[in-house]
Structure formats: structure tokens, C-alpha cells
Amino acid sequence: MSVEQIITEKLTAALSPSHLEVINESHNHHVPPNSEIHFKVIITCGAFEGKRLLARHRAVNEALETEFANGLHALSMHTFTPTEWAEECDVPASPKCKG
């Protein structure tokens, strides 16, 4: 199973998101081909209601604790409540970091 699939399954199980995108961005970095160590997550979840950004990110990090311990290097997180997602679903593009 790919790291992308594992991340999707774990976030779905832990947070029951109404919207979830897991994007492998490793190709934008100076890593070997087919790497799975840099990801972007866009997640909309009712559990984020009333929580600050730090608490939302902690919830995602806790769900993916094992993946970070096993080589997940970077995770760009864009966390929204359903209301926020409906109002402002613009997610910034990731920079090209290859160097």
C-alpha cells in the first residue's frame, strides 16, 4: 500500500472528513524518483469546529504519528471546517522546491 493510501485511510478513520485530498508532492523536491516523503493534505472536518489552527494540525499529526516515525518528511496541511471550506476553498499552490 502506498504512503498516500495509508495517509488517506488513517485521516479518514481518525477524523471522518467531509473532504480530503492527499497529494504526493515529493516530485517537487530533490529526492529519488517515486519517493513518498512530501505530501499536501487538504482536509475539511466537522471536528475542527471551534478549534484553532494549532489544534487542527495536532490532530492530523497525531493520526499520522507512525508515518512520521517511518520516514514521512514533510506535510503541508490546509485544515478547514465545513463552513470555511464552503466560503473559501482556495488552497495556495505549493512552491517548486527542487534545488
Side-chain angles (χ1 to χ4, degrees), residues 9-21:
E9 286 185 6
K10 288 197 171 186
L11 291 178
T12 299
L15 299 170
S16 300
S18 56
H19 177 85
L20 176 62
E21 294 177 54

Side-chain angles (χ1 to χ4, degrees), residues 9-10 16 18 25 29 38 42 45 50 52 56-57 60 67 72-74 78 80 84 92 95:
E9 286 185 6
K10 288 197 171 186
S16 300
S18 56
E25 297 189 326
H29 301 272
H38 291 78
I42 303 164
C45 178
R52 293 182 182 206
R56 297 175 188 191
H57 286 204
V60 171
E67 284 58 51
L72 178 59
H73 176 71
H78 302 277
F80 300 93
E84 291 168 343

Side-chain angles (χ1 to χ4, degrees), residues 1-11 22 36 39:
M1 184 179 304
S2 73
V3 175
E4 182 176 339
Q5 290 170 316
I6 292 168
I7 291 171
T8 299
E9 286 185 6
K10 288 197 171 186
L11 291 178
V22 179
E36 290 189 289
F39 287 88

Side-chain angles (χ1 to χ4, degrees), residues 10 14 55-68:
K10 288 197 171 186
R56 297 175 188 191
H57 286 204
R58 280 185 180 147
V60 171
N61 283 332
E62 287 173 9
L64 301 177
E65 183 177 2
T66 301
E67 284 58 51
F68 280 108

Side-chain angles (χ1 to χ4, degrees), residues 4 26 31 41 70 72:
E4 182 176 339
S26 299
V31 297
V41 169
N70 290 328
L72 178 59

Side-chain angles (χ1 to χ4, degrees), residues 34-56:
N34 302 315
S35 291
E36 290 189 289
I37 60 172
H38 291 78
F39 287 88
K40 175 192 264 187
V41 169
I42 303 164
I43 184 169
T44 302
C45 178
F48 293 155
E49 293 286 350
K51 295 195 173 160
R52 293 182 182 206
L53 187 61
L54 183 59
R56 297 175 188 191

